[in-house]
Amino acid sequence: MTSPLVSVIIPARDESGNLPSLLDEIADALATIDHEVLVVDDASRDGTWALLEARAAEDTRLRPLRHAESAGQSTSVWQAGHEARGEWLATLDGDGQNDPADLPSLIERARQGDVTLVAGHRTTRQDDWLKRFSSRVANVVRARLLKDETPDTGCGLKVVHREAFLRLPYFNHMHRFLPALVQAQGGRCVSLPVNHRPRGAGRSHYGLNNRLWAGLVDMAGVMWLRRRSRLPAPLETLARKDTKASVDQTERTS
């Protein structure tokens, strides 16, 4: 089984109204790029899983996964990253607000070889005032405390090298701190402006309590992880001569 260049990862909960068009847009955007799509149904109560089963029967690039009980966005992304086969992981939300048309430019930037993660920057937000307010506060506080040089770490649209992603420490809500975590492991991150769209069908599962206040608590944990990290730590090994080759050379010269 060959490995694709990119594995697109989509965490989804009750997104049956948004996934059909989103999957079509991904196929169009990545028509010339070898890819697979992993959608994690996080215990949806609508027709999300039935939809994914039907689509997967017609599209071998689609690999549906699901949780019997909701485990959250970070767990969904983390598990899909381990199941993925691509060299690069491209993440985007299942609500259709991230535009798949931005994927090729992020992938192209990532493949230039000097970065580990490329993050989307939603320069024009299409959210209600509460989301915009909580995100603005969280971004300002995070930037000052973590110094991750990422203006919009909450954007779901990211491209990250899979090997680097698999080395990151796992915890709930880790998806909001990927740039800081990647940097703590010695990686480099850049941001590119991306489109942002209004949500299609359904409703958001995030509010002030689980977005802003929980994020501040998690930020303290990330600061602790970065402080305690000692990576990257260059490791030298003892250079040993090939014993057999040395014996053969001795016999030829004796």
Side-chain angles (χ1 to χ4, degrees):
M1 184 177 295
T2 59
S3 299
L5 176 66
V6 178
S7 295
V8 180
I9 295 176
I10 307 172
R13 183 181 178 190
D14 297 332
E15 299 291 4
S16 61
N18 296 311
L19 284 173
S21 59
L22 182 62
L23 293 172
D24 289 342
E25 289 180 299
I26 292 172
D28 291 341
L30 302 183
T32 61
I33 299 176
D34 188 19
H35 69 282
E36 63 178 357
V37 181
L38 292 83
V39 181
V40 184
D41 176 3
D42 191 32
S44 294
R45 297 182 178 181
D46 62 357
T48 294
W49 184 248
L51 165 69
L52 293 173
E53 284 185 308
R55 298 272 308 208
E58 300 177 356
D59 186 356
T60 57
R61 293 173 302 184
L62 176 60
R63 299 174 57 198
L65 307 165
R66 70 169 170 174
H67 292 136
E69 297 181 2
S70 178
Q73 185 170 344
S74 284
T75 303
S76 298
V77 172
W78 185 80
Q79 289 182 315
H82 281 74
E83 293 291 331
R85 299 188 292 256
E87 178 183 357
W88 294 90
L89 306 179
T91 65
L92 70 163
D93 295 335
D95 56 13
Q97 290 194 266
N98 300 136
D99 191 345
D102 289 312
L103 284 172
S105 61
L106 268 65
I107 294 169
E108 180 182 4
R109 179 64 186 89
R111 297 186 68 196
Q112 291 182 16
D114 61 335
V115 297
T116 309
L117 181 148
V118 181
H121 177 198
R122 299 164 293 181
T123 55
T124 305
R125 294 288 300 269
Q126 300 296 322
D127 288 318
D128 59 35
W129 71 270
L130 180 58
K131 280 190 178 181
R132 294 196 303 270
F133 171 76
S134 59
S135 293
R136 187 177 298 114
V137 172
N139 279 323
V140 170
V141 174
R142 188 208 69 256
R144 291 181 179 177
L145 295 179
L146 299 184
K147 297 178 174 32
D148 58 8
E149 301 177 351
T150 304
D152 186 15
T153 189
C155 179
L157 195 56
K158 294 182 178 70
V159 174
V160 60
H161 199 273
R162 180 174 179 268
E163 290 186 3
F165 177 83
L166 297 184
R167 291 195 296 267
L168 300 180
Y170 163 76
F171 57 92
N172 194 22
H173 300 160
M174 67 173 288
H175 69 279
R176 300 176 183 171
F177 302 95
L178 289 183
L181 295 172
V182 166
Q183 289 175 350
Q185 300 282 324
R188 179 170 178 253
C189 308
V190 297
S191 297
L192 294 181
V194 296
N195 187 30
H196 191 241
R197 311 181 294 192
R199 166 180 269 277
R203 62 180 181 84
S204 174
H205 298 287
Y206 292 101
L208 185 63
N209 288 332
N210 61 3
R211 182 180 294 271
L212 178 56
W213 308 128
L216 294 175
V217 173
D218 294 332
M219 200 175 305
V222 175
M223 291 175 64
W224 182 87
L225 284 172
R226 285 171 58 107
R227 183 178 178 84
R228 293 298 182 183
S229 176
R230 291 296 181 266
L231 299 176
L235 186 66
E236 297 182 2
T237 59
L238 178 64
R240 297 181 181 275
K241 294 182 179 180
D242 189 326
T243 304
K244 184 178 184 301
S246 300
V247 172
D248 292 343
Q249 180 67 22
T250 301
E251 290 176 350
R252 285 195 296 269
T253 56
S254 61

